[in-house]
Amino acid sequence: MAADWTLRPWQAGDDLAALTALLHRAYAPLAAAGMNFTAATQTAAMTAQRLQGAHSWVAVRADGTLLGTITAAGPFDPNTQGWAHALPWFYRQDVAHFHQYAVDPACQGQGIGAALLQAAEAWARGAGHRAMLLDTAMPATALRQRYARAGYADIASVQWQGKAYRSVVMVKPLATPAPTETEPAHHAATVRALWASFQARDWTAARAFLADDATLFWRASGEHLLDADAIIRVQVIYPEGWTLRVVEVTPMADVDGRGGRVHSLVEVRHGGTCFLAHTLWRFRGALVAHADETWATWEAPPAWRTAEAIGAYRRDAGQP
């Protein structure tokens, strides 16, 4: 490590304004080239928001001057970060990602960026993540080449809302075997992305996760939807006003040779009613092939079920 700077974790009480200014300086050339990266113009409040729940490092001089930074985190939450719904990789529980990665233009070429990236990757390995993910602008050729030299490879492209460019998503395996799109962890991430796509009313994104001949069985009513387009169409025509929340998504072993399985539990509020859906998803390759779904509704228990009668008993507040 160079003698005039050191690497350390970001600490509460560090200067958010200085960190934000550093990001602005580092991303200014990209902004000037027409690529409106968030970090080029974000406020200090947004910087603080992007640090929450994440792990960040800074390169500093002895006098405290910030020279570089990187922020890494685990998977996004499909409920609070539904904007990522088009790409299941961001919802994988075993994949980390990094952002707010910057080195002051006056200090580039000193190994600061490499040291920051190594720190983020070391944290990800230590936390049990099998890969590190990033996204950057497709026109940012120099950045993409730098990431490729560091071991990152393109896996997808995506158009994020509000961006003037299309993004390329790159991944670097941190463990062996490398993650794939046909294993249980990715199937579970796909289900999270599918539910988040429904909540976003992004029917095109949702349709992309379904095999053309995918089927859906509503067990309680005995209804069958016989292809992927029907599965999407019934969502489109469903009366509006509902809000969906993913409670849990769990990958399951393939015990009968019929393809990967995932269980999900979601909560749907519509008017004054709360519905619950348990779904057993089946996969063929990376796509949903079948879903077996059972719906229930919040309801009051019968009068005989009381704490006085049972003993160790309670009921959630807010239930009807």
PDB file of all heavy atoms in Angstrom, residues 100-136:
ATOM      1  N   GLN A 100     -21.284   2.964  -5.738  1.00  0.00           N
ATOM      2  CA  GLN A 100     -20.581   4.125  -5.155  1.00  0.00           C
ATOM      3  C   GLN A 100     -19.075   3.866  -5.124  1.00  0.00           C
ATOM      4  O   GLN A 100     -18.400   4.070  -4.114  1.00  0.00           O
ATOM      5  CB  GLN A 100     -21.106   4.446  -3.748  1.00  0.00           C
ATOM      6  CG  GLN A 100     -22.523   4.952  -3.743  1.00  0.00           C
ATOM      7  CD  GLN A 100     -22.931   5.638  -2.451  1.00  0.00           C
ATOM      8  OE1 GLN A 100     -23.637   6.654  -2.471  1.00  0.00           O
ATOM      9  NE2 GLN A 100     -22.532   5.117  -1.307  1.00  0.00           N
ATOM     10  N   TYR A 101     -18.548   3.417  -6.256  1.00  0.00           N
ATOM     11  CA  TYR A 101     -17.132   3.065  -6.395  1.00  0.00           C
ATOM     12  C   TYR A 101     -16.448   4.217  -7.116  1.00  0.00           C
ATOM     13  O   TYR A 101     -16.799   4.543  -8.256  1.00  0.00           O
ATOM     14  CB  TYR A 101     -17.036   1.770  -7.193  1.00  0.00           C
ATOM     15  CG  TYR A 101     -15.649   1.232  -7.442  1.00  0.00           C
ATOM     16  CD1 TYR A 101     -14.627   1.381  -6.511  1.00  0.00           C
ATOM     17  CD2 TYR A 101     -15.368   0.535  -8.622  1.00  0.00           C
ATOM     18  CE1 TYR A 101     -13.365   0.852  -6.749  1.00  0.00           C
ATOM     19  CE2 TYR A 101     -14.120  -0.008  -8.866  1.00  0.00           C
ATOM     20  CZ  TYR A 101     -13.121   0.154  -7.922  1.00  0.00           C
ATOM     21  OH  TYR A 101     -11.868  -0.367  -8.155  1.00  0.00           O
ATOM     22  N   ALA A 102     -15.487   4.843  -6.457  1.00  0.00           N
ATOM     23  CA  ALA A 102     -14.883   6.039  -7.036  1.00  0.00           C
ATOM     24  C   ALA A 102     -13.493   6.283  -6.478  1.00  0.00           C
ATOM     25  O   ALA A 102     -13.222   5.987  -5.313  1.00  0.00           O
ATOM     26  CB  ALA A 102     -15.771   7.263  -6.748  1.00  0.00           C
ATOM     27  N   VAL A 103     -12.635   6.829  -7.319  1.00  0.00           N
ATOM     28  CA  VAL A 103     -11.315   7.322  -6.910  1.00  0.00           C
ATOM     29  C   VAL A 103     -11.188   8.743  -7.440  1.00  0.00           C
ATOM     30  O   VAL A 103     -11.541   9.017  -8.597  1.00  0.00           O
ATOM     31  CB  VAL A 103     -10.184   6.437  -7.467  1.00  0.00           C
ATOM     32  CG1 VAL A 103      -8.821   7.021  -7.102  1.00  0.00           C
ATOM     33  CG2 VAL A 103     -10.306   5.008  -6.937  1.00  0.00           C
ATOM     34  N   ASP A 104     -10.703   9.625  -6.602  1.00  0.00           N
ATOM     35  CA  ASP A 104     -10.520  11.016  -7.019  1.00  0.00           C
ATOM     36  C   ASP A 104      -9.679  11.053  -8.295  1.00  0.00           C
ATOM     37  O   ASP A 104      -8.632  10.404  -8.373  1.00  0.00           O
ATOM     38  CB  ASP A 104      -9.820  11.811  -5.909  1.00  0.00           C
ATOM     39  CG  ASP A 104      -9.876  13.294  -6.163  1.00  0.00           C
ATOM     40  OD1 ASP A 104      -9.300  13.752  -7.185  1.00  0.00           O
ATOM     41  OD2 ASP A 104     -10.480  14.018  -5.352  1.00  0.00           O
ATOM     42  N   PRO A 105     -10.124  11.781  -9.325  1.00  0.00           N
ATOM     43  CA  PRO A 105      -9.366  11.804 -10.591  1.00  0.00           C
ATOM     44  C   PRO A 105      -7.893  12.176 -10.415  1.00  0.00           C
ATOM     45  O   PRO A 105      -7.042  11.680 -11.159  1.00  0.00           O
ATOM     46  CB  PRO A 105     -10.111  12.875 -11.401  1.00  0.00           C
ATOM     47  CG  PRO A 105     -11.507  12.833 -10.881  1.00  0.00           C
ATOM     48  CD  PRO A 105     -11.378  12.558  -9.408  1.00  0.00           C
ATOM     49  N   ALA A 106      -7.572  13.013  -9.425  1.00  0.00           N
ATOM     50  CA  ALA A 106      -6.184  13.420  -9.226  1.00  0.00           C
ATOM     51  C   ALA A 106      -5.329  12.313  -8.619  1.00  0.00           C
ATOM     52  O   ALA A 106      -4.094  12.432  -8.591  1.00  0.00           O
ATOM     53  CB  ALA A 106      -6.132  14.653  -8.318  1.00  0.00           C
ATOM     54  N   CYS A 107      -5.963  11.236  -8.134  1.00  0.00           N
ATOM     55  CA  CYS A 107      -5.232  10.167  -7.433  1.00  0.00           C
ATOM     56  C   CYS A 107      -5.344   8.823  -8.127  1.00  0.00           C
ATOM     57  O   CYS A 107      -4.927   7.799  -7.554  1.00  0.00           O
ATOM     58  CB  CYS A 107      -5.746  10.047  -6.003  1.00  0.00           C
ATOM     59  SG  CYS A 107      -5.661  11.567  -5.053  1.00  0.00           S
ATOM     60  N   GLN A 108      -5.883   8.803  -9.324  1.00  0.00           N
ATOM     61  CA  GLN A 108      -6.035   7.537 -10.022  1.00  0.00           C
ATOM     62  C   GLN A 108      -4.679   7.041 -10.512  1.00  0.00           C
ATOM     63  O   GLN A 108      -3.754   7.818 -10.715  1.00  0.00           O
ATOM     64  CB  GLN A 108      -7.029   7.688 -11.175  1.00  0.00           C
ATOM     65  CG  GLN A 108      -8.442   7.967 -10.681  1.00  0.00           C
ATOM     66  CD  GLN A 108      -9.445   8.235 -11.788  1.00  0.00           C
ATOM     67  OE1 GLN A 108      -9.124   8.153 -12.965  1.00  0.00           O
ATOM     68  NE2 GLN A 108     -10.679   8.562 -11.414  1.00  0.00           N
ATOM     69  N   GLY A 109      -4.570   5.713 -10.662  1.00  0.00           N
ATOM     70  CA  GLY A 109      -3.315   5.125 -11.097  1.00  0.00           C
ATOM     71  C   GLY A 109      -2.365   4.775  -9.964  1.00  0.00           C
ATOM     72  O   GLY A 109      -1.225   4.375 -10.221  1.00  0.00           O
ATOM     73  N   GLN A 110      -2.813   4.894  -8.717  1.00  0.00           N
ATOM     74  CA  GLN A 110      -1.957   4.611  -7.558  1.00  0.00           C
ATOM     75  C   GLN A 110      -2.334   3.297  -6.866  1.00  0.00           C
ATOM     76  O   GLN A 110      -1.832   2.993  -5.798  1.00  0.00           O
ATOM     77  CB  GLN A 110      -2.038   5.754  -6.546  1.00  0.00           C
ATOM     78  CG  GLN A 110      -1.594   7.102  -7.076  1.00  0.00           C
ATOM     79  CD  GLN A 110      -1.705   8.208  -6.027  1.00  0.00           C
ATOM     80  OE1 GLN A 110      -1.640   7.937  -4.831  1.00  0.00           O
ATOM     81  NE2 GLN A 110      -1.866   9.440  -6.479  1.00  0.00           N
ATOM     82  N   GLY A 111      -3.242   2.524  -7.464  1.00  0.00           N
ATOM     83  CA  GLY A 111      -3.661   1.263  -6.864  1.00  0.00           C
ATOM     84  C   GLY A 111      -4.787   1.400  -5.871  1.00  0.00           C
ATOM     85  O   GLY A 111      -5.181   0.408  -5.233  1.00  0.00           O
ATOM     86  N   ILE A 112      -5.343   2.595  -5.719  1.00  0.00           N
ATOM     87  CA  ILE A 112      -6.414   2.814  -4.745  1.00  0.00           C
ATOM     88  C   ILE A 112      -7.667   2.043  -5.152  1.00  0.00           C
ATOM     89  O   ILE A 112      -8.285   1.352  -4.329  1.00  0.00           O
ATOM     90  CB  ILE A 112      -6.722   4.317  -4.611  1.00  0.00           C
ATOM     91  CG1 ILE A 112      -5.506   5.053  -4.043  1.00  0.00           C
ATOM     92  CG2 ILE A 112      -7.943   4.547  -3.726  1.00  0.00           C
ATOM     93  CD1 ILE A 112      -5.636   6.563  -4.048  1.00  0.00           C
ATOM     94  N   GLY A 113      -8.051   2.142  -6.416  1.00  0.00           N
ATOM     95  CA  GLY A 113      -9.250   1.457  -6.872  1.00  0.00           C
ATOM     96  C   GLY A 113      -9.148  -0.049  -6.705  1.00  0.00           C
ATOM     97  O   GLY A 113     -10.106  -0.705  -6.268  1.00  0.00           O
ATOM     98  N   ALA A 114      -7.998  -0.615  -7.050  1.00  0.00           N
ATOM     99  CA  ALA A 114      -7.809  -2.060  -6.913  1.00  0.00           C
ATOM    100  C   ALA A 114      -7.916  -2.488  -5.456  1.00  0.00           C
ATOM    101  O   ALA A 114      -8.525  -3.514  -5.136  1.00  0.00           O
ATOM    102  CB  ALA A 114      -6.459  -2.469  -7.492  1.00  0.00           C
ATOM    103  N   ALA A 115      -7.333  -1.697  -4.552  1.00  0.00           N
ATOM    104  CA  ALA A 115      -7.389  -2.040  -3.124  1.00  0.00           C
ATOM    105  C   ALA A 115      -8.815  -1.966  -2.592  1.00  0.00           C
ATOM    106  O   ALA A 115      -9.241  -2.819  -1.798  1.00  0.00           O
ATOM    107  CB  ALA A 115      -6.483  -1.099  -2.334  1.00  0.00           C
ATOM    108  N   LEU A 116      -9.570  -0.975  -3.031  1.00  0.00           N
ATOM    109  CA  LEU A 116     -10.963  -0.859  -2.604  1.00  0.00           C
ATOM    110  C   LEU A 116     -11.786  -2.050  -3.091  1.00  0.00           C
ATOM    111  O   LEU A 116     -12.564  -2.637  -2.328  1.00  0.00           O
ATOM    112  CB  LEU A 116     -11.563   0.441  -3.144  1.00  0.00           C
ATOM    113  CG  LEU A 116     -11.084   1.737  -2.486  1.00  0.00           C
ATOM    114  CD1 LEU A 116     -11.440   2.936  -3.361  1.00  0.00           C
ATOM    115  CD2 LEU A 116     -11.704   1.891  -1.102  1.00  0.00           C
ATOM    116  N   LEU A 117     -11.602  -2.430  -4.351  1.00  0.00           N
ATOM    117  CA  LEU A 117     -12.355  -3.549  -4.896  1.00  0.00           C
ATOM    118  C   LEU A 117     -11.983  -4.855  -4.190  1.00  0.00           C
ATOM    119  O   LEU A 117     -12.851  -5.683  -3.882  1.00  0.00           O
ATOM    120  CB  LEU A 117     -12.099  -3.665  -6.401  1.00  0.00           C
ATOM    121  CG  LEU A 117     -12.932  -4.696  -7.164  1.00  0.00           C
ATOM    122  CD1 LEU A 117     -14.420  -4.489  -6.938  1.00  0.00           C
ATOM    123  CD2 LEU A 117     -12.602  -4.651  -8.653  1.00  0.00           C
ATOM    124  N   GLN A 118     -10.716  -5.036  -3.891  1.00  0.00           N
ATOM    125  CA  GLN A 118     -10.279  -6.234  -3.167  1.00  0.00           C
ATOM    126  C   GLN A 118     -10.897  -6.286  -1.772  1.00  0.00           C
ATOM    127  O   GLN A 118     -11.277  -7.361  -1.294  1.00  0.00           O
ATOM    128  CB  GLN A 118      -8.762  -6.276  -3.084  1.00  0.00           C
ATOM    129  CG  GLN A 118      -8.081  -6.575  -4.420  1.00  0.00           C
ATOM    130  CD  GLN A 118      -6.591  -6.286  -4.406  1.00  0.00           C
ATOM    131  OE1 GLN A 118      -5.997  -6.050  -3.345  1.00  0.00           O
ATOM    132  NE2 GLN A 118      -5.981  -6.310  -5.571  1.00  0.00           N
ATOM    133  N   ALA A 119     -11.022  -5.135  -1.121  1.00  0.00           N
ATOM    134  CA  ALA A 119     -11.637  -5.099   0.210  1.00  0.00           C
ATOM    135  C   ALA A 119     -13.104  -5.515   0.135  1.00  0.00           C
ATOM    136  O   ALA A 119     -13.591  -6.280   0.976  1.00  0.00           O
ATOM    137  CB  ALA A 119     -11.514  -3.695   0.803  1.00  0.00           C
ATOM    138  N   ALA A 120     -13.819  -5.020  -0.879  1.00  0.00           N
ATOM    139  CA  ALA A 120     -15.234  -5.372  -1.028  1.00  0.00           C
ATOM    140  C   ALA A 120     -15.394  -6.856  -1.333  1.00  0.00           C
ATOM    141  O   ALA A 120     -16.275  -7.531  -0.779  1.00  0.00           O
ATOM    142  CB  ALA A 120     -15.863  -4.526  -2.130  1.00  0.00           C
ATOM    143  N   GLU A 121     -14.541  -7.388  -2.194  1.00  0.00           N
ATOM    144  CA  GLU A 121     -14.629  -8.807  -2.540  1.00  0.00           C
ATOM    145  C   GLU A 121     -14.274  -9.688  -1.349  1.00  0.00           C
ATOM    146  O   GLU A 121     -14.886 -10.750  -1.138  1.00  0.00           O
ATOM    147  CB  GLU A 121     -13.722  -9.108  -3.721  1.00  0.00           C
ATOM    148  CG  GLU A 121     -14.206  -8.487  -5.023  1.00  0.00           C
ATOM    149  CD  GLU A 121     -13.220  -8.652  -6.172  1.00  0.00           C
ATOM    150  OE1 GLU A 121     -12.098  -9.158  -5.936  1.00  0.00           O
ATOM    151  OE2 GLU A 121     -13.562  -8.259  -7.296  1.00  0.00           O
ATOM    152  N   ALA A 122     -13.292  -9.270  -0.554  1.00  0.00           N
ATOM    153  CA  ALA A 122     -12.922 -10.041   0.638  1.00  0.00           C
ATOM    154  C   ALA A 122     -14.080 -10.079   1.636  1.00  0.00           C
ATOM    155  O   ALA A 122     -14.354 -11.122   2.250  1.00  0.00           O
ATOM    156  CB  ALA A 122     -11.676  -9.438   1.287  1.00  0.00           C
ATOM    157  N   TRP A 123     -14.760  -8.947   1.806  1.00  0.00           N
ATOM    158  CA  TRP A 123     -15.936  -8.938   2.689  1.00  0.00           C
ATOM    159  C   TRP A 123     -16.988  -9.904   2.163  1.00  0.00           C
ATOM    160  O   TRP A 123     -17.581 -10.680   2.931  1.00  0.00           O
ATOM    161  CB  TRP A 123     -16.532  -7.535   2.775  1.00  0.00           C
ATOM    162  CG  TRP A 123     -17.927  -7.588   3.319  1.00  0.00           C
ATOM    163  CD1 TRP A 123     -18.312  -7.728   4.620  1.00  0.00           C
ATOM    164  CD2 TRP A 123     -19.142  -7.612   2.543  1.00  0.00           C
ATOM    165  NE1 TRP A 123     -19.686  -7.822   4.709  1.00  0.00           N
ATOM    166  CE2 TRP A 123     -20.219  -7.760   3.466  1.00  0.00           C
ATOM    167  CE3 TRP A 123     -19.412  -7.523   1.177  1.00  0.00           C
ATOM    168  CZ2 TRP A 123     -21.546  -7.808   3.042  1.00  0.00           C
ATOM    169  CZ3 TRP A 123     -20.739  -7.575   0.757  1.00  0.00           C
ATOM    170  CH2 TRP A 123     -21.787  -7.711   1.691  1.00  0.00           C
ATOM    171  N   ALA A 124     -17.255  -9.876   0.840  1.00  0.00           N
ATOM    172  CA  ALA A 124     -18.280 -10.726   0.258  1.00  0.00           C
ATOM    173  C   ALA A 124     -17.945 -12.206   0.472  1.00  0.00           C
ATOM    174  O   ALA A 124     -18.815 -13.004   0.845  1.00  0.00           O
ATOM    175  CB  ALA A 124     -18.442 -10.423  -1.232  1.00  0.00           C
ATOM    176  N   ARG A 125     -16.700 -12.578   0.253  1.00  0.00           N
ATOM    177  CA  ARG A 125     -16.300 -13.973   0.491  1.00  0.00           C
ATOM    178  C   ARG A 125     -16.505 -14.344   1.945  1.00  0.00           C
ATOM    179  O   ARG A 125     -17.030 -15.414   2.261  1.00  0.00           O
ATOM    180  CB  ARG A 125     -14.832 -14.168   0.117  1.00  0.00           C
ATOM    181  CG  ARG A 125     -14.537 -14.193  -1.367  1.00  0.00           C
ATOM    182  CD  ARG A 125     -13.106 -14.645  -1.639  1.00  0.00           C
ATOM    183  NE  ARG A 125     -12.763 -14.527  -3.048  1.00  0.00           N
ATOM    184  CZ  ARG A 125     -12.195 -13.452  -3.580  1.00  0.00           C
ATOM    185  NH1 ARG A 125     -11.902 -12.402  -2.825  1.00  0.00           N
ATOM    186  NH2 ARG A 125     -11.913 -13.424  -4.872  1.00  0.00           N
ATOM    187  N   GLY A 126     -16.085 -13.471   2.845  1.00  0.00           N
ATOM    188  CA  GLY A 126     -16.224 -13.738   4.273  1.00  0.00           C
ATOM    189  C   GLY A 126     -17.656 -13.870   4.719  1.00  0.00           C
ATOM    190  O   GLY A 126     -17.955 -14.584   5.686  1.00  0.00           O
ATOM    191  N   ALA A 127     -18.558 -13.190   4.018  1.00  0.00           N
ATOM    192  CA  ALA A 127     -19.983 -13.252   4.354  1.00  0.00           C
ATOM    193  C   ALA A 127     -20.678 -14.436   3.695  1.00  0.00           C
ATOM    194  O   ALA A 127     -21.888 -14.613   3.866  1.00  0.00           O
ATOM    195  CB  ALA A 127     -20.672 -11.953   3.931  1.00  0.00           C
ATOM    196  N   GLY A 128     -19.926 -15.248   2.934  1.00  0.00           N
ATOM    197  CA  GLY A 128     -20.493 -16.434   2.317  1.00  0.00           C
ATOM    198  C   GLY A 128     -21.088 -16.231   0.941  1.00  0.00           C
ATOM    199  O   GLY A 128     -21.742 -17.137   0.409  1.00  0.00           O
ATOM    200  N   HIS A 129     -20.876 -15.064   0.344  1.00  0.00           N
ATOM    201  CA  HIS A 129     -21.400 -14.820  -1.000  1.00  0.00           C
ATOM    202  C   HIS A 129     -20.540 -15.540  -2.029  1.00  0.00           C
ATOM    203  O   HIS A 129     -19.317 -15.569  -1.922  1.00  0.00           O
ATOM    204  CB  HIS A 129     -21.440 -13.320  -1.290  1.00  0.00           C
ATOM    205  CG  HIS A 129     -22.387 -12.574  -0.411  1.00  0.00           C
ATOM    206  ND1 HIS A 129     -23.745 -12.755  -0.470  1.00  0.00           N
ATOM    207  CD2 HIS A 129     -22.173 -11.656   0.566  1.00  0.00           C
ATOM    208  CE1 HIS A 129     -24.338 -11.976   0.430  1.00  0.00           C
ATOM    209  NE2 HIS A 129     -23.408 -11.304   1.074  1.00  0.00           N
ATOM    210  N   ARG A 130     -21.201 -16.086  -3.036  1.00  0.00           N
ATOM    211  CA  ARG A 130     -20.508 -16.878  -4.050  1.00  0.00           C
ATOM    212  C   ARG A 130     -20.098 -16.060  -5.264  1.00  0.00           C
ATOM    213  O   ARG A 130     -19.378 -16.561  -6.142  1.00  0.00           O
ATOM    214  CB  ARG A 130     -21.386 -18.035  -4.482  1.00  0.00           C
ATOM    215  CG  ARG A 130     -21.644 -19.051  -3.369  1.00  0.00           C
ATOM    216  CD  ARG A 130     -22.669 -20.086  -3.787  1.00  0.00           C
ATOM    217  NE  ARG A 130     -22.293 -20.745  -5.023  1.00  0.00           N
ATOM    218  CZ  ARG A 130     -23.164 -21.264  -5.884  1.00  0.00           C
ATOM    219  NH1 ARG A 130     -24.462 -21.177  -5.652  1.00  0.00           N
ATOM    220  NH2 ARG A 130     -22.746 -21.855  -6.985  1.00  0.00           N
ATOM    221  N   ALA A 131     -20.570 -14.823  -5.345  1.00  0.00           N
ATOM    222  CA  ALA A 131     -20.230 -13.990  -6.491  1.00  0.00           C
ATOM    223  C   ALA A 131     -20.430 -12.528  -6.124  1.00  0.00           C
ATOM    224  O   ALA A 131     -21.157 -12.195  -5.174  1.00  0.00           O
ATOM    225  CB  ALA A 131     -21.076 -14.347  -7.705  1.00  0.00           C
ATOM    226  N   MET A 132     -19.776 -11.648  -6.881  1.00  0.00           N
ATOM    227  CA  MET A 132     -19.936 -10.209  -6.750  1.00  0.00           C
ATOM    228  C   MET A 132     -20.498  -9.678  -8.057  1.00  0.00           C
ATOM    229  O   MET A 132     -20.072 -10.083  -9.151  1.00  0.00           O
ATOM    230  CB  MET A 132     -18.603  -9.534  -6.429  1.00  0.00           C
ATOM    231  CG  MET A 132     -18.697  -8.031  -6.263  1.00  0.00           C
ATOM    232  SD  MET A 132     -19.573  -7.533  -4.759  1.00  0.00           S
ATOM    233  CE  MET A 132     -18.196  -7.418  -3.614  1.00  0.00           C
ATOM    234  N   LEU A 133     -21.444  -8.771  -7.948  1.00  0.00           N
ATOM    235  CA  LEU A 133     -22.176  -8.239  -9.087  1.00  0.00           C
ATOM    236  C   LEU A 133     -21.945  -6.742  -9.197  1.00  0.00           C
ATOM    237  O   LEU A 133     -21.743  -6.062  -8.193  1.00  0.00           O
ATOM    238  CB  LEU A 133     -23.662  -8.518  -8.871  1.00  0.00           C
ATOM    239  CG  LEU A 133     -24.615  -8.592 -10.052  1.00  0.00           C
ATOM    240  CD1 LEU A 133     -24.299  -9.800 -10.912  1.00  0.00           C
ATOM    241  CD2 LEU A 133     -26.053  -8.695  -9.540  1.00  0.00           C
ATOM    242  N   LEU A 134     -22.004  -6.221 -10.415  1.00  0.00           N
ATOM    243  CA  LEU A 134     -21.966  -4.772 -10.632  1.00  0.00           C
ATOM    244  C   LEU A 134     -22.797  -4.460 -11.862  1.00  0.00           C
ATOM    245  O   LEU A 134     -23.073  -5.333 -12.682  1.00  0.00           O
ATOM    246  CB  LEU A 134     -20.533  -4.274 -10.821  1.00  0.00           C
ATOM    247  CG  LEU A 134     -19.806  -4.681 -12.112  1.00  0.00           C
ATOM    248  CD1 LEU A 134     -20.020  -3.655 -13.245  1.00  0.00           C
ATOM    249  CD2 LEU A 134     -18.317  -4.840 -11.863  1.00  0.00           C
ATOM    250  N   ASP A 135     -23.207  -3.202 -11.982  1.00  0.00           N
ATOM    251  CA  ASP A 135     -23.762  -2.758 -13.258  1.00  0.00           C
ATOM    252  C   ASP A 135     -23.163  -1.413 -13.587  1.00  0.00           C
ATOM    253  O   ASP A 135     -22.860  -0.595 -12.711  1.00  0.00           O
ATOM    254  CB  ASP A 135     -25.292  -2.707 -13.228  1.00  0.00           C
ATOM    255  CG  ASP A 135     -25.843  -1.552 -12.426  1.00  0.00           C
ATOM    256  OD1 ASP A 135     -25.953  -1.699 -11.194  1.00  0.00           O
ATOM    257  OD2 ASP A 135     -26.148  -0.508 -13.028  1.00  0.00           O
ATOM    258  N   THR A 136     -22.941  -1.194 -14.864  1.00  0.00           N
ATOM    259  CA  THR A 136     -22.359   0.056 -15.329  1.00  0.00           C
ATOM    260  C   THR A 136     -22.918   0.363 -16.704  1.00  0.00           C
ATOM    261  O   THR A 136     -23.603  -0.459 -17.319  1.00  0.00           O
ATOM    262  CB  THR A 136     -20.818  -0.035 -15.359  1.00  0.00           C
ATOM    263  OG1 THR A 136     -20.267   1.274 -15.536  1.00  0.00           O
ATOM    264  CG2 THR A 136     -20.316  -0.940 -16.478  1.00  0.00           C
TER     265      THR A 136
END
